[in-house]
């Protein structure tokens, strides 16, 4: 079995798509989905969705990244909302941002070594 796709329902589809394009430098495929590895992410209108999410931690998108600090720096230039600042954990680096609808998106660099200095 393979998780082929995820759908984020939104009443602000274009705003959401613009944010994901800018935040993660992804482009839409021929079906209108963003491709993250082998998983497609669809952002579409849904009749049962309006406004921001009411439970942002219910489903969290975890993006495995090669350079968490570089993505963090890029996201900061966009003025994203940080839910959890990037921090060192035993398994690597992790940080959480909220997309325009309030959904949580985590950037994770598995196996990142503890930093040799602190800010």
């Amino acid at each position: 079995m393979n998780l082929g796709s995820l759908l984020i329902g939104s009443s602000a589809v274009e705003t959401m798509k613009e944010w994901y394009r800018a935040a993660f430098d992804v482009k839409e495929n021929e079906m209108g989905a963003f491709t993250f590895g082998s998983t497609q992410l669809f952002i579409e209108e849904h009749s049962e969705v309006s406004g921001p999410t009411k439970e942002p931690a219910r489903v969290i998108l975890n993006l495995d990244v090669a350079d968490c600090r570089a993505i963090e720096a890029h996201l900061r230039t966009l003025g994203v909302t940080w839910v959890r600042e990037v921090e060192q954990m035993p398994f690597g680096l992790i940080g959480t941002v909220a997309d325009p609808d309030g959904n949580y998106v985590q950037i994770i660099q598995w196996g990142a070594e503890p930093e040799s200095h602190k800010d």
Side-chain angles (χ1 to χ4, degrees):
M1 222 181 297
N2 181 38
L3 179 60
S5 66
L6 297 169
L7 169 70
I8 297 177
S10 178
S11 57
V13 172
E14 282 311 310
T15 299
M16 289 279 285
K17 285 185 173 187
E18 287 173 18
W19 187 88
Y20 278 87
R21 284 184 204 109
F24 304 111
D25 192 30
V26 290
K27 295 175 181 40
E28 292 170 85
N29 64 21
E30 64 282 351
M31 293 175 30
F34 297 115
T35 303
F36 289 91
S38 63
T39 304
Q40 297 181 90
L41 175 63
F42 290 90
I43 300 171
E44 299 179 358
E45 287 187 31
H46 193 286
S47 62
E48 296 181 28
V49 173
S50 66
T53 184
K54 293 174 182 47
E55 293 182 306
R58 181 171 292 263
V59 175
I60 299 174
L61 299 181
N62 291 327
L63 301 179
D64 296 347
V65 301
D67 188 342
C68 198
R69 291 295 183 189
I71 293 174
E72 172 191 30
H74 170 69
L75 292 172
R76 288 197 184 285
T77 69
L78 301 176
V80 302
T81 300
W82 288 92
V83 175
R84 176 185 188 176
E85 297 285 332
V86 173
E87 64 180 317
Q88 183 72 52
M89 297 297 290
F91 57 81
L93 291 169
I94 186 171
T96 309
V97 295
D99 72 15
D101 277 0
N103 302 298
Y104 290 172
V105 180
Q106 295 189 136
I107 53 173
I108 304 170
Q109 183 179 345
W110 298 99
E113 296 294 323
E115 299 156 346
S116 59
H117 66 280
K118 301 234 183 233
D119 294 300

